[in-house]
Structure formats: structure tokens, C-alpha cells
Amino acid sequence: MASDQRVLRGGPDDGGAGGEQDGTVGKFRGAVRRGRVAVFLGPAVLSLALGLWGITREYSMWRDEAATWQSAHRSLAEIGHLVGQADVVHGLYYVVMHGVFALFGDSLVTLRLPSVLATATACGLTALVGARLSDRWTGIGAGLALAVIPAVQEFAQEGRSYALVLVFVVLATWLLISALERPGSRRWTWYALAVLIAALLNWFSLFALVAHGVTVAWARLDRARRAGWLLAALGAVVAALPLILASRAQASQVSWIKPTGWSTLLGVLATVTIAALCSLLAHARMPGSMREHAPQARVNLATVGLPLCAVPQLALALISLIQPLYVTRYVLFAYAGLALLIGALLAVLATRLRTSAAVLLPAALAVALLALLPIELRVRSEQNRVDDVLTAAATVGQVRGAADGVLYIPAARRDTALVSPHAFAGLRDLALAQGPVESGTLKGIEAGPLDIERAILSARRIVLVTDPGPRQDDSMADRTKQRTLDAHFVRCADSVERGRRISVYERRDDGGGRRVPETTQPDGEGSRGLFSHFAPVGVLPSVPARARDAWLSYSDRPRTSML
């Protein structure tokens, strides 16, 4: 392992990265000779395979991904209008996904593939960081560890920005080490740019910048290096400040976050404790790629990995004691710090067991994958998310019959129709006053209670899309919807599938009784409905298997102007 370490460390003539040769081909050949490509590819390929495994998640899409789906289908001007009202923290990601859909088409695969690729790159870069700070096998172990962490596997298949934040934080960490090795304005500029892009994707990533500051202070570097980091950090923060200030005006969008529970706090403490114990290992504290003749240079796995793991999680947990904000995906990048220290632990185990790392790492990987298999299977199932808009839309398409109106409680459940408009064709949105695109929102603007009541009373059969279980109607509009339905309609069908409830209400007759459904009801497309009789409440057939068919049929249809 010592020989690997000498090969991978930067020398006086290699630019802190093993040398700068003329031309792209020369750089690539140099990287191959130094073993960097092999170090990168192992963890990256593993992560890619895990990410592609079950990427459609049983043909499901949950509410957060539905926000990405509908936003990415808007024009750039419409995305700009949206982020002025809501979701400004995701604006850059929506622009990226708009381009992805324009180039490769829209599907569940293209929705999640950028996250898969970003996670694979992050695992490869983590391996390179570990190799640079220690040796080849420590780096590979770190990259493999990051790839198998359940939370990383989960968000590798998420159509949201968190995997992209992860890769830019790891890239920034790599660039930080490079700049500390051989300070220079170009290296610090690249570092600041990586930090800025991560912040523009989600500014909670600036906790990683704080962690890097702890690394710089802990390593007791000279004044020039400290000044270089400080200037780069200030530049990134100043550039991200407009986004931070704009997001403060949209703080209500995180009002759903619950106070941090004991289970979450214990999970954070357990993760940080494991990282702290690993940082005590001699292998984690051995000199890194900083040249050994510089006594002030103490950048190693401990000084880089422990702050990156601990600072973001502990800082957000402490802030959440005042204002609830802690959600694991917001600090997903902290697992990169944990993975670096696990790499050190694996290297120590190989030494203690007198086993070649080339044998230990595959064995440890196999054991980890088998031990985590139940979690890995659950992560790739639709039950791992709170709901599924595709199954809800498929249910509406099957049970709507002769319905002429639709309601959403709360209004955010309108995403069901925005993702699958074909299932709602011909249904009047009884509460909508201004559509999501026109209003620059994700759920549209609803009419006043009196207008909503009049619209409901003008309908004979209404489909209600809502949440299962006890519901607390937060707005006057939602209370009006439910009150009017209870007073003038009877629920004649009901189904709860994958976290959403679809109910069909029919207008009471003059005598207060219930209209009897016709034996054959046309569906919204003008053909015979699949249900010629509505089932009584609670006994509608299960439809998850039809979500895939609904999705496939939708992907072949021309897009509506809304999307």
C-alpha cells in the first residue's frame, strides 16, 4: 500500500495532481499511468449499476418529483416566472432538467438519470480524494462505501437536485485539496465556482464550505493558504447571497418540516460518532498529498472527512431546534465525509488481518450489499415514498365514469393532473381560478369560497383527489370543498392507493337520497368505461398494476401545452 501511496501523491512537478501535460490525450494518459482512472471507475461503475437497478421504482413518481416534472416542462421564461413565486432554491435544477427533457425526451428514466450519473461521479471523485489523501485502496474503499450507503442509493434515483449537490460538494473538496497543495488564483477560482454551483442547486450545501473552513483551521496552514481559502469562500457566498435572500421570502415552503425527533438526533449522533472514531485511526491521520517537507501541512483523511461529515449534520440539527429544517437529503453530501473515514477503517482492517486490500474490499462489499439487501429493495419500491401521482392518475382514469368535475384537497394534489393530464381530460377543475403556469406557481390559484361552492353545486358527479387518513383542511377553500360535498353529495366510490385517496361523489336527488349510477358510464375519452358499475365505498379494485400501462400510454401521446 505504501507504494500505491507514493504513486498517487502529487510531487513538486505535477501541479498537485500528478503533473500537467499538454493536451487532453496527454493528461488522460498521465492519469492512467498514475492509476487514477482505475481508482475512479470501480466505485463509479458500482454506483451506476445500483442507480440503474430499479430506476423506474415500479413506475411510480412521488410529489417532489412531480414538481420537477411539471416545472421542467415549462419554458425558460415560465420557469423564471415560477421561481419568482416559489421554489427559487430549485431554479437552476429546473433549468437543467428542462434541457434534459428537450434533448432526450421525458420519461421516468430521463427524470432520474441525471441523479444516477451525478452519484456515480461523486463516488468516483470520493475515491480520488481518498487516494490523494492516503493511498489507492483507501480511496477505492471510500468510493465503494459511499455507493452502498442506503441514503445515497435512495437519492441517486430521485428526480431532484440532491445528487447533483453531492457531486459538486465532493468536487469542491477535491479542488480544495488541490489548491492547498499548490495555491494559485486559478485553483482557488475553480474551487469557488464548484462551491457556488452547489449553492445554486441548494444553498444548504454552504454547510460544506463551513466544514472546509474547519479543515483549513484544523490543518494549521500558512497565512497564504488561509487567505486564499477565505477569499474564495467569500466570493462564493457573495455570489450565492441573492439566492439566499430570495429564498427567505419563500420560507413558507419548508413549513411542512416537523420538529427534529429523537430518532433523527440519534441517527445524526451515531453517524458523527462513527466518523469520529474512524478519524482516530492512525491511517486517517497520516500525511496526505501535501508534501511532507512542509511541517504546517496536516491535511489528511481526518481533517477533511470528519468536518465534512459532522459540521453539516450538527449545524442543521442545532438550527432545527429553533426552526425545524432538518431533512437528511438537505445534507446528503455529509456522507462523503463518512465514506472517506470508512475507507481508512477498511485499510486498517486489511493491515490487521494481513489480507490484501484487493481481496478484502470485494469481500466487504459483498457482505455490505447482502446485509443491506432488504433496505435496498425497499428503497426501490413505491412504498419508500409518501405517495405516487401516477397511480393516483391511473385510478382517476378508471373510476371517473360520467364525472364532470374534479376537486383537490389540498390544492397541491393538483400535481396529479399536471403530470398526467390525459386522465383528467373533460373534467372541470371546479376550484381553479388561474392555472399553475399562468400564476407562476406549482398548484395554481383557487377561487374564493363562494365561487367554489357555486361551481361544485353546478356539477353532478365529482372526483376528489386527496390524502388518505385524517385530514386537516388548512384553508377556507378546502373547508368549503369538503363541507359542500358532505351537504349536497354522497360518496359512492373510494380508493386509497400508494398514499393518495381517490373518491367519487354523486349529487343527492331532491329527496335527499342517492342517484343510482347507470349500468354503463362513458369515460372521459368518449369510450366505454372500464367500470360499468361503481363499487361501494372502500371496495374499489386495486390499480397499482395499471399505473405502468397508464404511464406507457401517456408517453406515446402528444404533450399538452401545459407541459
Side-chain angles (χ1 to χ4, degrees):
M1 295 177 70
S3 60
D4 292 326
Q5 184 173 332
R6 287 193 298 270
V7 169
L8 285 168
R9 285 181 183 172
D13 299 322
D14 63 6
E20 293 180 0
Q21 303 182 36
D22 293 334
T24 303
V25 175
K27 292 180 180 179
F28 179 76
R29 288 175 178 171
V32 171
R33 285 198 300 270
R34 291 184 297 274
R36 287 218 191 103
V37 172
V39 171
F40 179 92
L41 282 180
V45 169
L46 173 65
S47 177
L48 182 63
L50 291 173
L52 294 176
W53 170 29
I55 190 173
T56 61
R57 210 165 55 236
E58 299 182 4
Y59 297 92
S60 64
M61 179 194 299
W62 78 298
R63 62 184 64 172
D64 279 18
E65 291 181 310
T68 298
W69 181 270
Q70 59 158 307
S71 300
H73 278 94
R74 302 184 186 189
S75 68
L76 293 179
E78 290 167 345
I79 293 175
H81 187 203
L82 168 66
V83 299
Q85 312 293 323
D87 261 9
V88 66
V89 294
H90 298 298
L92 176 58
Y93 177 68
Y94 290 157
V95 171
V96 170
M97 292 307 300
H98 173 84
V100 170
F101 283 178
L103 290 173
F104 304 106
D106 55 357
S107 68
L108 287 176
V109 174
T110 51
L111 174 67
R112 295 170 184 151
L113 190 58
S115 294
V116 173
L117 297 176
T119 303
T121 304
C123 292
L125 286 173
T126 299
L128 291 179
V129 171
R132 191 166 195 167
L133 293 175
S134 183
D135 60 68
R136 173 192 182 92
W137 292 109
T138 298
I140 293 176
L144 295 176
L146 183 62
V148 301
I149 291 174
V152 174
Q153 292 191 52
E154 177 178 355
F155 293 104
Q157 295 184 333
E158 185 92 346
R160 299 296 277 175
S161 64
Y162 309 110
L164 276 70
V165 174
L166 170 64
V167 70
F168 277 100
V169 167
V170 177
L171 176 61
T173 303
W174 164 264
L175 293 170
L176 172 67
I177 298 169
S178 177
L180 292 178
E181 275 188 352
R182 294 187 63 187
S185 58
R186 186 176 65 176
R187 286 181 173 82
W188 286 122
T189 299
W190 281 115
Y191 168 73
L193 182 61
V195 171
L196 175 60
I197 294 175
L200 294 179
L201 288 166
N202 190 319
W203 63 264
F204 279 176
S205 66
L206 290 176
F207 284 124
L209 184 64
V210 179
H212 291 166
V214 173
T215 295
V216 171
W218 188 356
R220 289 180 287 176
L221 301 169
D222 57 61
R223 182 176 299 178
R225 289 180 169 91
R226 293 199 306 267
W229 175 82
L230 184 60
L231 289 175
L234 286 175
V237 171
V238 169
L241 193 58
L243 172 66
I244 298 172
L245 296 177
S247 67
R248 293 298 301 164
Q250 301 175 7
S252 61
Q253 289 195 282
V254 293
S255 61
W256 58 270
I257 300 177
K258 297 179 181 180
T260 306
W262 282 108
S263 61
T264 300
L265 291 175
L266 289 175
V268 170
L269 291 176
T271 302
V272 174
T273 300
I274 293 172
L277 291 175
C278 290
S279 71
L280 297 176
L281 298 170
H283 199 89
R285 293 176 173 272
M286 64 190 300
S289 59
M290 299 289 292
R291 288 184 285 282
E292 287 83 344
H293 68 261
Q296 76 276 17
R298 297 182 176 86
V299 178
N300 51 47
L301 289 171
T303 57
V304 173
L306 184 57
L308 185 57
C309 176
V311 171
Q313 295 188 84
L314 293 177
L316 191 58
L318 289 174
I319 293 173
S320 295
L321 296 178
I322 302 173
Q323 179 181 351
L325 285 174
Y326 194 92
V327 181
T328 299
R329 57 183 179 267
Y330 292 167
V331 287
L332 182 69
F333 52 86
Y335 285 112
L338 176 64
L340 289 172
L341 294 167
I342 291 176
L345 174 62
L346 292 172
V348 170
L349 289 176
T351 302
R352 296 286 176 85
L353 297 175
R354 296 182 179 179
T355 304
S356 169
V359 175
L360 178 67
L361 287 184
L365 175 63
V367 171
L369 290 175
L370 288 175
L372 295 171
L373 185 59
I375 299 176
E376 293 164 350
L377 293 174
R378 180 173 57 82
V379 162
R380 290 162 176 80
S381 70
E382 82 285 349
Q383 287 87 3
N384 196 53
R385 304 302 194 274
V386 297
D387 59 3
D388 176 16
V389 297
L390 297 181
T391 292
T395 305
V396 170
Q398 299 295 341
V399 307
R400 51 180 287 176
D404 52 355
V406 61
L407 291 171
Y408 306 93
I409 301 179
R413 299 303 159 261
R414 188 169 280 108
D415 59 3
T416 312
L418 296 174
V419 170
S420 302
H422 65 288
F424 294 80
L427 293 179
R428 287 186 297 138
D429 192 330
L430 301 173
L432 188 65
Q434 189 176 19
V437 175
E438 294 77 16
S439 62
T441 64
L442 290 171
K443 58 186 178 182
I445 296 176
E446 297 195 330
L450 291 179
D451 291 333
I452 292 176
E453 183 176 6
R454 280 195 293 267
I456 293 174
L457 293 178
S458 69
R460 300 301 302 176
R461 189 184 294 269
I462 297 174
V463 176
L464 173 65
V465 181
T466 186
D467 295 324
R471 187 178 67 242
Q472 188 173 20
D473 302 327
D474 295 327
S475 68
M476 180 65 72
D478 288 342
R479 290 192 289 271
T480 299
K481 297 171 193 175
Q482 193 62 64
R483 186 188 70 245
T484 306
L485 288 174
D486 292 340
H488 301 280
F489 291 76
V490 61
R491 190 170 63 183
C492 61
D494 189 56
S495 177
V496 176
E497 299 289 350
R498 295 184 178 181
R500 296 217 172 176
R501 173 175 243 121
I502 309 299
S503 303
V504 179
Y505 284 81
E506 187 176 294
R507 187 73 178 270
R508 299 180 188 272
D509 62 19
D510 293 338
R514 174 178 168 180
R515 276 183 60 205
V516 179
E518 301 174 9
T519 57
T520 301
Q521 298 288 358
D523 66 14
E525 301 294 337
S527 60
R528 184 175 300 274
L530 295 180
F531 291 95
S532 57
H533 298 278
F534 280 96
V537 173
V539 297
L540 274 178
S542 178
V543 299
R546 286 190 295 269
R548 179 176 183 272
D549 297 333
W551 172 260
L552 292 176
S553 64
Y554 173 54
S555 64
D556 293 332
R557 301 178 78 255
R559 298 289 177 261
T560 65
S561 59
M562 177 172 290
L563 296 180

